[in-house]
Amino acid sequence: MDYNNLDETVDFVILYLQARNAQNWNWVGYKNFKALISYILQIKDVNTLRTIFERIISLGTIEKRKIGSSTEYRFIF
């Protein structure tokens, strides 16, 4: 993964999530975001997908909550 280009990739994913109105999904699992990111970027490598997702979380665009043993995420726009 080219980390110089990672910020542009993350910005693109955030814009795409805004265009898809992901803020209306409420709380969903990681697999929903992973599938969408994989689809739009045509990336199958799970480590790269997780890196992109964690960068989006660190920006505060996606919030995280734990319920029992499961973790859910919500896109904030």
Side-chain angles (χ1 to χ4, degrees), residues 16-42:
Y16 190 85
L17 289 170
Q18 291 171 350
R20 290 287 302 259
N21 291 317
Q23 69 274 10
N24 295 336
W25 297 354
N26 288 322
W27 297 99
V28 296
Y30 166 69
K31 65 182 180 179
N32 299 93
F33 287 105
K34 182 181 89 168
L36 188 63
I37 295 168
S38 176
Y39 170 73
I40 63 174
L41 297 178
Q42 295 296 304

